[in-house]
Amino acid sequence: MFPLQLFNIFFTASTVQERVSKDDLSPYTRGDLLEVPRTLFTHFGIYLGDNRVAHLIPDILPVFSQNKAAISEMVTNLRLILGVVAKAASVRVDSVADFAYGSEVLVNHMDAVCNQPALEAEEVARRAEELLGSISYSLLWYNCEHYVMYCRYGLVISYQTYQFCTAVRKTVCSRTSAYLTALLGVGAMLYLGSAASLTSVIFLLVSFILWMTS
C-alpha cells in the first residue's frame, strides 16, 4: 500500500479521544476497539463483553513453560519484550484490568482516525475470537494493531509501523547519512590502503544510493 493511501486511510481532521478508567466497564460494548500505552508502543485489543478483551500479545513464557496457570497471569513488560525478540505471541483473552496494565483505556479512538467504517460489532467480535491461539508475530509486519485493524475495519495495516518505517527512511536516507557513509569509505581507503579498496567501493556505492534516495 502506498504512503498516500495510508495517509488517506489514517488521517482525518478529528482526533477526539475517549478516555475511560480500566475499572469502569460501563463504556465498553462488544466489538469495541480498546488501546492503552504499553512500554514503547500502544497496545490494542477487542472487547468481547463480560470484562473480556481479546488481544495479540508477545509472551516469552509459553516458550519455556507449559504451566497454564502461570501463562494465564497478566503478561509483564519483561515477558512482553522477550516475546517480541523471540517472535513468540498469541491472541489471548484477559480482563480489562490485565489488558490495561495500569493505564487508562482509549475506546474506539481509531474510528476518528481511520476513514474506513467499522464493521458490525458482532462481526468484529467474531473475527477477534476466531483468531484466538498461537499466531505468527512480527513487530513490524503483524502486531497487535494489525490484528485489531483486521477485526474492526477489515484492513491488515498498522499506523505505528507506518510511522516507524517513515522515521527510519528519513534517518537512513538523509543527506547526512550519505555524507557520513562517504567519509567512512574514504577514511577506510586512506587508513587501510589498497587492500581495503573493495570495502571502500562498497561504502561509496552505499553512500551514492543513500544520496540518490534522499
Side-chain angles (χ1 to χ4, degrees), residues 5 8 43 56 61 70 95-96 108 176 183 191 202 207:
Q5 292 173 294
N8 289 332
H43 188 54
L56 192 167
L61 189 57
S95 67
V96 173
N108 296 329
T176 301
L183 287 173
Y191 180 74
I202 294 174
S207 66

Side-chain angles (χ1 to χ4, degrees), residues 33-105:
L33 191 160
L34 310 184
E35 58 182 279
V36 294
R38 189 73 190 261
T39 55
L40 300 177
F41 52 86
T42 301
H43 188 54
F44 298 85
I46 299 294
Y47 188 67
L48 302 178
D50 299 323
N51 193 27
R52 298 177 302 131
V53 182
H55 57 131
L56 192 167
I57 188 165
D59 185 10
I60 193 65
L61 189 57
V63 176
F64 300 103
S65 173
Q66 298 299 317
N67 187 332
K68 293 184 178 180
I71 293 172
S72 66
E73 293 179 359
M74 180 170 54
V75 178
T76 63
N77 281 337
L78 179 60
R79 284 170 58 181
L80 186 152
I81 292 170
L82 293 177
V84 169
V85 174
K87 294 191 174 184
S90 66
V91 176
R92 55 183 279 169
V93 175
D94 285 308
S95 67
V96 173
D98 283 355
F99 166 78
Y101 201 66
S103 300
E104 287 185 310
V105 181

Side-chain angles (χ1 to χ4, degrees), residues 135-167:
I135 198 165
S136 298
Y137 177 81
S138 168
L139 180 62
L140 292 181
W141 311 123
Y142 196 77
N143 56 44
C144 61
E145 189 175 6
H146 290 95
Y147 165 70
V148 298
M149 291 296 289
Y150 164 74
C151 293
R152 189 163 177 86
Y153 307 106
L155 302 170
V156 187
I157 49 180
S158 168
Y159 177 47
Q160 291 183 109
T161 295
Y162 176 67
Q163 280 188 317
F164 174 79
C165 292
T166 300

